[in-house]
Amino acid sequence: MGPLVPDIISNNLNFIVALVIGILFGAILEQAGFSTSKKLVGLFYGYDFTVLRVFFTAGIVAMIGVMGLNHFGLLDMNLVYINPTFLWSAIIGGLIMGLGFVVGGFCPGTSVCAAAIGKIDAMIFIVGAFFGVIVFAEGYPIFEPLYKATNLGSPRFFETLGMSQNVFAFIMVVMALSAFWIASIVENKVNKVSKSPIRFTPYYIGIASIGFLMAVSAFIFPDRKASLTQLVEDTNFVKTYNLETMSADEFAYRLMDDQDDKFQIIDFRTEKEYTKESMPKSTLFTIDNLFEKEPNQLLRLKHKINVFVADDEMTERKMAIIASELGYKRIKILEGGLKAFNDQILNFNPIENPKNIDEVYQNRFRDKAKEIIPILIKNNKSAGPVKKELKRVVGGC
Amino acid sequence: MQETKYMNPYLAGVLLGLLLIATIYITGRGLGASGAFKSYAVTVVEKVAPTHTANTKFYDEYGKEHPGSSPLMNWLVFEVTGVLIGAFLSGLISNRLDFKLEKGPHTTNNIRIAGALIGGLLWGVGSQLGRGCTSGAALSGMAVMSTGGIITMFAIFAGAYAFAYFFRKFWI
């Protein structure tokens, strides 16, 4: 599950990745014509809308792609950098940048591109930008109140508007397509040529159909979480699903054995119950945790056996099925749930007149467990819910 | 030799979009540019006036946000170095390498130089205030549907259109 940094790609290798991404970024910008100020500002005078086309196409493609990765459970959005929202600095800063755009003819990324192929105006622009940062740094006491005003956290725009992600994405796509269409009309007028604003060249048809297929696929395949949650609604399916179980006795034995470091309990009770009392070697989990990247590290530990526990076996089964379907190995459930464990072990009544040696042993073991386990539970300081370290990547400019 | 024609804008857009998806998938963050300017500025000021940086709040906060050895060991610095290389190679392939001061047809070199300098200055201030530029805030912000990023994007375009009329002599 993405992002691949820092687990699969180390932070140092990430610098090399940055360099490669930068090379591709620079090459694409240059090939698109972003290395000349005349083409860039054309957008604001109506004679060349290349920037608008490239920019919005890229934005829409990336937006839908990120949605798709998230939808199919390949990318944990909780770990992705979402630019924070400081309302006033975003607006004022944006307006200043807009002014800078028509005065200077570049934005920072494109100025680097243009400077790379020898544009002198771009090099001067970079010098200016460099001093601009210093001006901001030195004048920070003046800018700071505005810089930090109205901190709204890191909301996503569809949340701010109170609509669904899909509707928002659809609106953005429609807006972009209308912008392309209007841009073509304006461009024709300004340049006094007449090209049809909508042309069916192989390029456009190809690009549009890829976008269309991607959008449709999201409707056809429900997202992983929804489909798995749906799957375990079927009681018969849940009951017949083949899962490994652990008996209450084995569970008690392994709980008491402090040499046993292979055993870990994944507790699916509510947080309230869990904080009240919990067993050693246990971690609180929720159904959501199963789909998140950080908590899952725990389930991936190679040498551990994960025993899923909940009050009743049905809940255990559901969670274990979801985990198995997600590809986790070494998942077991506690037979009969914690209810059975409580009946058989914690509130154990010895069998009167044991008939055979097995029953004698059982009496002896359970009597012992009945004494020890409550002490273990008492001494176990609850670790609280599974630690979700939201180590978001530090991004942005 | 003739300069090669530019790429179809929609194709370039799709490629850029795919690159951005890959970037977010691999690194969990988007593309950027102005952050690298900041890293260089901080480095230079630190070298020139170390006591000054120690006493100034901005550098202090920067240091806290970016713990580590040098401000230049920064993802964006590497990325922007890549941009420089990539754009150069692309210019080389398409025969666009040339030292040239580019300006509108009705303006002088001096005005263009002053414009580029002041424009850059404005971007330096604006991108710090807005927490990112067209790449870091607007484009990457749009990809992850960040409210702040999208607001900044609209503000940049609104600002440019609002002021475009006053600077038309620069370009047309």
Side-chain angles (χ1 to χ4, degrees):
Chain A
M1 194 192 276
L4 305 182
V5 174
D7 302 326
I8 296 172
I9 292 177
S10 74
N11 283 321
N12 283 331
L13 183 60
N14 196 9
F15 287 134
I16 308 297
V17 171
L19 192 70
V20 174
I21 288 172
I23 290 174
L24 293 172
F25 186 29
I28 294 171
L29 289 183
E30 209 287 325
Q31 282 298 318
F34 280 30
S35 52
T36 154
S37 50
K38 279 156 102 177
K39 214 169 171 61
L40 290 167
V41 291
L43 161 67
F44 307 116
Y45 298 99
Y47 61 82
D48 190 336
F49 282 94
T50 306
V51 176
L52 179 102
R53 295 193 177 101
V54 176
F55 184 90
F56 274 107
T57 311
I60 298 279
V61 168
M63 188 168 87
I64 293 172
V66 168
M67 262 175 77
L69 288 176
N70 185 225
H71 181 87
F72 294 116
L74 297 171
L75 182 68
D76 188 348
M77 281 311 280
N78 290 322
L79 300 176
V80 171
Y81 176 78
I82 311 275
N83 312 53
T85 304
F86 289 78
L87 189 60
W88 290 107
S89 68
I91 293 173
I92 310 275
L95 292 175
I96 294 173
M97 288 188 262
L99 175 62
F101 216 149
V102 287
V103 174
F106 291 109
C107 63
T110 52
S111 72
V112 174
C113 261
I117 64 160
K119 295 281 156 63
I120 295 162
D121 45 336
M123 298 172 194
I124 297 166
F125 178 96
I126 292 174
V127 173
F130 179 78
F131 281 108
V133 176
I134 295 178
V135 167
F136 185 81
E138 298 304 321
Y140 191 56
I142 305 167
F143 293 115
E144 199 185 355
L146 177 62
Y147 184 63
K148 290 185 176 162
T150 333
N151 179 1
L152 305 176
S154 294
R156 305 182 66 196
F157 210 61
F158 57 90
E159 293 166 355
T160 313
L161 297 176
M163 55 171 68
S164 91
Q165 195 178 8
N166 296 350
V167 172
F168 178 70
F170 181 73
I171 291 172
M172 290 299 276
V173 171
V174 171
M175 266 176 66
L177 292 178
S178 329
F180 297 154
W181 181 57
I182 293 166
S184 298
I185 294 174
V186 174
E187 210 174 58
N188 285 347
K189 275 224 168 107
V190 173
N191 296 332
K192 301 190 175 63
V193 290
S194 53
K195 271 193 267 177
S196 164
I198 300 169
R199 296 190 297 279
F200 292 100
T201 64
Y203 264 148
Y204 301 149
I205 294 172
I207 290 166
S209 45
I210 291 169
F212 184 73
L213 284 177
M214 270 170 67
V216 168
S217 75
F219 282 106
I220 294 172
F221 307 109
D223 75 301
R224 229 168 157 197
K225 191 165 170 180
S227 64
L228 285 176
T229 319
Q230 183 76 35
L231 190 69
V232 295
E233 286 306 303
D234 182 356
T235 323
N236 271 330
F237 174 79
V238 174
K239 276 182 183 153
T240 51
Y241 195 93
N242 191 20
L243 286 165
E244 281 185 68
T245 57
M246 186 178 268
S247 69
D249 285 318
E250 186 187 348
F251 187 80
Y253 180 80
R254 300 193 77 155
L255 200 58
M256 288 187 293
D257 181 1
D258 43 278
Q259 301 294 318
D260 187 354
D261 56 359
K262 286 193 175 145
F263 175 69
Q264 74 177 357
I265 303 170
I266 307 294
D267 195 332
F268 282 95
R269 289 177 304 162
T270 60
E271 192 175 336
K272 207 171 149 195
E273 286 173 296
Y274 184 83
T275 17
K276 212 169 108 199
E277 54 175 28
S278 62
M279 278 168 280
K281 304 173 188 175
S282 74
T283 313
L284 179 68
F285 243 65
T286 62
I287 182 165
D288 291 328
N289 289 147
L290 289 174
F291 294 92
E292 288 160 350
K293 194 184 173 199
E294 285 289 328
N296 281 339
Q297 307 287 346
L298 198 68
L299 298 182
R300 280 187 203 287
L301 295 174
K302 280 259 151 58
H303 56 280
K304 299 267 189 191
I305 295 169
N306 304 298
V307 184
F308 281 29
V309 303
D311 283 330
D312 57 307
E313 194 180 310
M314 202 58 190
T315 315
E316 289 177 357
R317 281 188 158 270
K318 283 181 184 174
M319 297 303 146
I321 291 170
I322 291 175
S324 308
E325 292 290 325
L326 284 171
Y328 294 108
K329 302 275 175 345
R330 300 174 304 278
I331 305 282
K332 287 192 176 192
I333 58 167
L334 172 62
E335 215 178 300
L338 286 171
K339 212 177 271 163
F341 178 74
N342 285 340
D343 289 345
Q344 290 171 22
I345 309 284
L346 296 184
N347 305 319
F348 174 64
N349 287 318
I351 304 165
E352 307 267 337
N353 309 319
K355 287 181 208 76
N356 53 36
I357 192 77
D358 285 346
E359 288 190 354
V360 175
Y361 282 142
Q362 191 180 356
N363 270 352
R364 206 180 288 165
F365 173 73
R366 289 189 180 179
D367 266 333
K368 194 177 139 202
K370 188 182 169 183
E371 265 175 48
I372 294 176
I373 292 176
I375 299 170
L376 288 176
I377 291 176
K378 211 175 154 193
N379 290 342
N380 181 47
K381 243 174 86 189
S382 155
V386 56
K387 255 188 234 140
K388 249 209 290 181
E389 273 183 64
L390 278 191
K391 270 188 293 172
R392 268 183 204 271
V393 184
V394 184
C397 277
Chain B
M1 273 199 288
Q2 195 69 41
E3 283 184 12
T4 320
K5 263 177 71 180
Y6 291 119
M7 192 187 275
N8 176 298
Y10 298 110
L11 178 65
V14 170
L15 292 178
L16 187 56
L18 294 176
L19 177 70
L20 186 51
I21 296 170
T23 308
I24 292 174
Y25 179 71
I26 297 170
T27 67
R29 51 159 305 145
L31 298 162
S34 58
F37 288 65
K38 178 158 131 186
S39 298
Y40 276 109
V42 170
T43 313
V44 170
V45 178
E46 262 178 9
K47 281 269 151 29
V48 174
T51 46
H52 175 71
T53 49
N55 298 325
T56 310
K57 201 173 175 194
F58 178 80
Y59 301 107
D60 193 43
E61 285 187 8
Y62 180 87
K64 273 182 201 144
E65 273 174 41
H66 302 79
S69 45
S70 153
L72 292 183
M73 284 305 279
N74 176 293
W75 197 88
L76 284 171
V77 171
F78 281 82
E79 187 233 54
V80 168
T81 312
V83 170
L84 207 59
I85 300 169
F88 177 80
L89 292 176
S90 158
L92 186 71
I93 292 166
S94 303
N95 292 313
R96 281 193 283 265
L97 295 184
D98 190 12
F99 279 107
K100 188 158 98 183
L101 183 77
E102 214 170 27
K103 58 182 172 58
H106 305 296
T107 187
T108 63
N109 282 354
N110 287 344
I111 289 180
R112 178 67 189 114
I113 289 170
L117 196 65
I118 294 168
L121 203 75
L122 290 166
W123 271 102
V125 174
S127 64
Q128 290 314 305
L129 198 56
R131 296 177 171 75
C133 56
T134 1
S135 347
L139 185 58
S140 305
M142 189 172 163
V144 297
M145 300 191 198
S146 146
T147 303
I150 293 173
I151 290 174
T152 310
M153 174 181 85
F154 281 118
I156 293 173
F157 285 111
Y161 275 109
F163 297 116
Y165 179 79
F166 306 104
F167 298 96
R168 64 190 184 284
K169 290 275 157 57
F170 281 25
W171 304 107
I172 48 176

